[in-house]
Amino acid sequence: MHAYLIIRDGNQWADVVRLVPGESVTMGRAPTNTVVVKDERCSRNHAEVFYTQGQWIIRDLQSRNGTLVSGEQLRHDHTLEPGDILQIGNSHLAYVEDLSQAFPETGSLLKASKAVAGQPSELGTETADVDSIFESFEPTTITHRKKQSRFLDEPSLADTDESFPKVGRAAAQLCRLAFELAQATDVVSLAKEALGGLFAGTRVDAGAILLRQRDDAGNRRGEDLEMIASRSDSAHAYHRVSPFLASTVLRDGQAVMARNVMDDSNLGNRDSQGEILATSVICAPVRLGGAIYGLVHLYTTSAEVTTDPDDLEFTLAVADTVGVALENLNRRQELAENLNQVRTENVHLREQLGVQSEIVGSSEVMLQVARQIARAAPSRATVLIRGESGVGKELVARAVHFSSPRVKAPFVCLNCAALSETLLESELFGHEKGSFTGATERKIGKFEQADQGTLMLDEIGEMSPNIQAKFLRVLEGHPFERVGGSAQIQVDVRVIAATNRDLERDVAEGKFRRDLYFRLHVLEIFVPGLRKRSEDIPELAEFFLRKFSDETGRKIKGFTPRAMEELLRYRWPGNVREMKNVIERAVVLALGEYVDHEDLVLSTLNTAGDTESGIFAPVGPQEFQPTSLAEMESEHIRRTLASTGWNKSRAAGILGIERSTLDRKIRRYELKQNAASK
């Protein structure tokens, strides 16, 4: 069967797409669509039309603003009928099966009487030439077509031929000049363009445009005149307007013309030889709304050529046009300045937002992370964030969410390692009242809480195999049931997973489902450890110093050179989380105005994945002495206690264990404080 989509272009139905059975036609902003609709309200992949069971069907592809069919919102697949109008944003397409009947004599489609003009669309398929069709059914007869007015072209015969009325020639010149002045980007180019028009429209051979100097407020209201542009087509250079003539025009706000001004010092300035070259003079105010910005000064130097009242009229019209153009230029410059100010404020706001979210760092690796976030945010794909503990994986997940179209929807975070298998299932999917002991009421799970938003699952590698299977099914788009319930629940949630584990190794060892790994590993963002971006350490340290100084009320000015050297040399096994705690402790303990190296409590733990020893010097193969883990731990604790003068609280902090745990290990290994460390 024959079927067509007719696309509206401006105020008429212009392009036609032929529908071919077996080939679907997609519509949207993305250039990969069959019909590309350039409309901000149109989604990248908005809708599609396809053929099935002898009928053409339209389906909305979960677009942001929806699709209308003949004025009604499309909620399900719809069978198209001849005359149906498809509305996508402000764009319209009509479905017809017979082009000869598509355009009745009224000039509108069967169901398009209320349709408004849409935006032009680009086609990526074969289109029919329907110019003759549209012309034959236009309700009115178009008698003339012209792309651009001749009054805006280069000077034509009508501008120069004396047989044409002078008023008509002047009107054409003024029209073209006003168009040129409106495009000027600065005052100088505007003045030069105006002079060119004046010389073409009058019989003068010298002149200039002079504007009042700006006052302290930036307005042109000063007493002195500044020459913006001048021109002389005679053998003599331009001579500035006389003070008498300038003050007269500025005071009265009226244009004047004088003839036979030879030897009249009030109307013409003398040259270097004391001669007044002007034979006739025109001076017109540049004004707008009662304010006078400056003046136009023109004169002739030949006794055989004089100005007439038409020249005065033309000059006054140009001067007023210059006033309007000058005001518009000032407003454009103000808008540009305001726009730059807004952009600067936006940059500052972004910086403030970045500080509030504690995403700090301008190193190349962090810029790469920012670029990965920007690429991942707009999509619906699952994101896997990897990195060591403490690098800020949750902050990256928040950045992805708040940069995505789901920004107004919930962001829900859950740590999979903090819950048992039963509790994790309940937290993810919810439970019904009485489903297990302690379930005294219905609980809404994290998936339901995050509907239309984002669910961030931290430590995804700690999820048990049973939960992995159910979790995978939900990721595939299937509904789920609450624990102890039977109702099918469907949600729209974007999942962001985070882990510091080697998932590939867990898959190989059977600890993590292979199919779930591939489902999660769509987009990956790797957050490097702090030791791999040492250039961010000073920036992070200063940020945390300001943060905790404000919170505690301490007046800490900064770090001593020795302290900063220690921070840069340290390996940071706990990454940014450890630095935050170290700086907070230093702010509280610092005695002076600057944090010194003695205020920094740094651990001797190895960094994840590193082979360097903490306090033990590296040894060669010949020097290695086999020892048990208990002996190594005993020696490590003894040396840590000795380095802190047996300050158990401080030693426990360095070792990363509780004070009670340290006391048990001291008793187990029978460690005693020697006299030298007392």
Side-chain angles (χ1 to χ4, degrees):
M1 62 173 292
H2 297 292
Y4 308 90
L5 284 179
I6 304 179
I7 303 173
R8 192 178 185 93
D9 183 2
N11 60 358
Q12 66 178 359
W13 301 90
D15 298 324
V16 176
V17 179
R18 183 177 180 182
L19 302 179
V20 179
E23 298 181 6
S24 64
V25 174
T26 59
M27 295 159 280
R29 284 190 296 110
T32 54
N33 287 287
T34 310
V35 178
V36 179
V37 181
K38 292 184 177 179
D39 191 321
E40 292 183 354
R41 300 188 60 204
C42 177
S43 300
R44 290 183 57 80
N45 298 292
H46 197 102
E48 67 172 338
V49 175
F50 57 92
Y51 187 77
T52 180
Q53 297 181 356
Q55 296 175 321
W56 285 99
I57 308 295
I58 181 171
R59 172 181 296 168
D60 185 85
L61 299 178
Q62 298 181 346
S63 62
R64 183 175 66 253
N65 294 308
T67 304
L68 297 180
V69 178
S70 298
E72 296 185 2
Q73 187 77 25
L74 181 63
R75 304 189 182 280
H76 307 286
D77 290 357
H78 174 79
T79 302
L80 291 173
E81 299 178 1
D84 276 342
I85 302 298
L86 317 181
Q87 182 175 348
I88 298 176
N90 293 321
S91 303
H92 297 77
L93 303 91
Y95 172 81
V96 298
E97 295 179 354
D98 189 349
L99 283 178
S100 63
Q101 299 177 0
F103 303 92
E105 294 180 356
T106 59
S108 61
L109 286 169
L110 195 59
K111 299 182 180 181
S113 59
K114 297 183 179 180
V116 296
Q119 300 297 324
S121 302
E122 295 178 358
L123 300 178
T125 184
E126 179 180 342
T127 59
D129 183 4
V130 294
D131 289 345
S132 59
I133 296 176
F134 289 111
E135 290 178 1
S136 62
F137 290 102
E138 286 180 342
T140 58
T141 302
I142 298 176
T143 59
H144 295 80
R145 292 181 182 270
K146 192 169 181 62
K147 186 175 182 180
Q148 183 175 348
S149 169
R150 68 179 177 84
F151 296 127
L152 300 181
D153 293 334
E154 293 298 322
S156 61
L157 180 63
D159 300 330
T160 57
D161 193 341
E162 295 293 335
S163 64
F164 284 88
K166 188 172 183 180
V167 174
R169 285 184 278 127
Q173 291 169 340
L174 281 174
C175 180
R176 186 170 58 253
L177 180 60
F179 183 76
E180 297 296 335
L181 293 179
Q183 301 182 77
T185 57
D186 57 81
V187 177
V188 175
S189 61
L190 186 151
K192 290 182 177 179
E193 198 70 48
L195 278 178
L198 286 166
F199 275 59
T202 63
R203 288 176 286 185
V204 300
D205 55 15
I209 293 182
L210 304 98
L211 299 179
R212 282 178 160 173
Q213 292 185 346
R214 296 184 182 274
D215 56 17
D216 295 338
N219 300 315
R220 293 191 179 275
R221 296 174 181 172
E223 295 297 329
D224 297 330
L225 290 173
E226 176 186 2
M227 187 170 64
I228 305 301
S230 64
R231 174 175 169 178
S232 177
D233 291 348
S234 67
H236 307 280
Y238 165 77
H239 285 275
R240 192 180 179 95
V241 63
S242 66
F244 171 79
L245 187 58
S247 61
T248 300
V249 174
L250 294 176
R251 182 186 66 249
D252 299 338
Q254 296 179 346
V256 299
M257 181 181 69
R259 298 174 181 170
N260 303 320
V261 297
M262 301 288 288
D263 297 329
D264 189 341
S265 59
N266 289 330
L267 299 179
N269 278 349
R270 300 179 183 273
D271 65 3
S272 58
Q273 298 179 353
E275 297 179 354
I276 295 179
L277 301 177
T279 59
S280 59
V281 177
I282 294 178
C283 198
V286 177
R287 59 194 177 184
L288 180 67
I292 299 178
Y293 294 153
L295 53 83
V296 175
H297 176 224
L298 303 172
Y299 61 87
T300 61
T301 58
S302 173
E304 299 175 355
V305 179
T306 59
T307 57
D308 57 26
D310 288 337
D311 292 330
L312 179 62
E313 291 279 358
F314 187 82
T315 302
L316 184 57
V318 172
D320 286 341
T321 305
V322 169
V324 175
L326 188 62
E327 179 66 17
N328 291 337
L329 180 61
N330 291 338
R331 290 182 179 179
R332 288 205 305 269
Q333 291 174 345
E334 290 176 1
L335 287 174
E337 293 174 358
N338 293 337
L339 180 59
N340 289 334
Q341 182 178 357
V342 169
R343 288 173 176 170
T344 303
E345 291 175 354
N346 286 342
V347 171
H348 292 162
L349 286 174
R350 290 192 189 101
E351 292 175 352
Q352 293 173 9
L353 290 173
V355 168
Q356 291 171 5
S357 63
E358 297 186 4
I359 299 179
V360 180
S362 55
S363 62
E364 180 57 35
V365 291
M366 288 308 294
L367 292 177
Q368 177 63 25
V369 170
R371 288 191 287 267
Q372 291 176 332
I373 292 174
R375 287 194 295 267
S379 72
R380 300 165 56 92
T382 306
V383 179
L384 179 61
I385 304 175
R386 310 181 79 159
E388 300 172 8
S389 178
V391 295
K393 296 187 289 295
E394 182 178 343
L395 299 179
V396 173
R398 289 182 180 274
V400 172
H401 170 74
F402 288 107
S403 301
S404 72
R406 299 172 181 258
V407 60
K408 295 183 179 179
F411 175 82
V412 181
C413 185
L414 179 64
N415 190 331
C416 300
L419 302 170
S420 64
E421 178 179 336
T422 303
L423 289 177
L424 180 58
E425 183 179 12
S426 174
E427 284 293 323
L428 282 174
F429 308 110
H431 63 253
E432 298 290 349
K433 180 179 179 180
S435 58
F436 55 84
T437 303
T440 57
E441 59 184 10
R442 172 185 286 180
K443 178 181 175 62
I444 301 300
K446 300 299 184 184
F447 267 108
E448 290 183 77
Q449 295 176 26
D451 190 24
Q452 304 299 320
T454 303
L455 175 61
M456 190 263 185
L457 297 178
D458 200 4
E459 304 297 343
I460 190 72
E462 306 297 332
M463 186 180 288
S464 67
N466 292 333
I467 303 298
Q468 289 179 30
K470 190 171 182 180
F471 175 56
L472 175 61
R473 182 169 176 80
V474 178
L475 278 184
E476 295 291 348
H478 298 286
F480 63 91
E481 301 172 357
R482 299 190 190 100
V483 177
S486 58
Q488 296 287 308
I489 301 171
Q490 186 77 46
V491 294
D492 177 15
V493 174
R494 182 185 192 177
V495 173
I496 299 179
T499 184
N500 60 1
R501 295 175 61 100
D502 186 349
L503 291 184
E504 290 79 4
R505 185 178 63 185
D506 289 348
V507 170
E509 295 176 355
K511 298 178 181 178
F512 199 81
R513 292 180 64 101
R514 180 181 297 271
D515 47 3
L516 178 57
Y517 168 78
F518 288 118
R519 186 63 183 82
L520 291 175
H521 198 256
V522 179
L523 298 175
E524 181 179 283
I525 299 177
F526 177 75
V527 186
L530 185 55
R531 66 185 178 280
K532 296 182 179 179
R533 52 184 182 104
S534 57
E535 55 268 42
D536 290 334
I537 291 177
E539 187 177 352
L540 280 164
E542 291 291 342
F543 165 68
F544 288 127
L545 181 68
R546 291 193 303 270
K547 173 182 173 66
F548 294 119
S549 295
D550 293 340
E551 290 181 1
T552 60
R554 300 291 307 276
K555 303 298 182 182
I556 306 297
K557 295 182 178 180
F559 297 89
T560 63
R562 176 74 180 277
M564 184 56 67
E565 182 182 349
E566 290 285 336
L567 294 175
L568 291 170
R569 188 170 56 206
Y570 185 56
R571 298 286 291 169
W572 299 108
N575 293 295
V576 180
R577 183 186 292 120
E578 181 186 9
M579 171 177 276
K580 177 181 177 182
N581 297 332
V582 167
I583 302 301
E584 182 179 12
R585 186 185 301 114
V587 169
V588 174
L589 299 179
L591 299 177
E593 294 182 338
Y594 292 87
V595 173
D596 199 3
H597 69 285
E598 296 179 350
D599 302 320
L600 302 175
V601 181
L602 304 176
S603 75
T604 57
L605 297 176
N606 290 341
T607 56
D610 282 2
T611 57
E612 296 94 340
S613 297
I615 61 173
F616 302 106
V619 297
Q622 301 300 326
E623 302 172 294
F624 177 75
Q625 297 294 331
T627 183
S628 67
L629 289 176
E631 291 175 339
M632 183 173 290
E633 184 180 46
S634 172
E635 179 64 9
H636 181 61
I637 294 174
R638 184 187 66 77
R639 293 194 181 192
T640 303
L641 286 168
S643 67
T644 61
W646 271 74
N647 184 326
K648 295 182 181 179
S649 297
R650 188 174 179 184
I654 295 174
L655 294 170
I657 60 177
E658 297 292 334
R659 167 69 183 272
S660 58
T661 303
L662 177 61
D663 288 333
R664 289 198 303 271
K665 291 182 180 293
I666 290 175
R667 291 194 296 270
R668 180 192 306 168
Y669 298 127
E670 299 180 349
L671 300 176
K672 299 191 181 294
Q673 183 178 12
N674 56 36
S677 60
K678 290 184 178 179

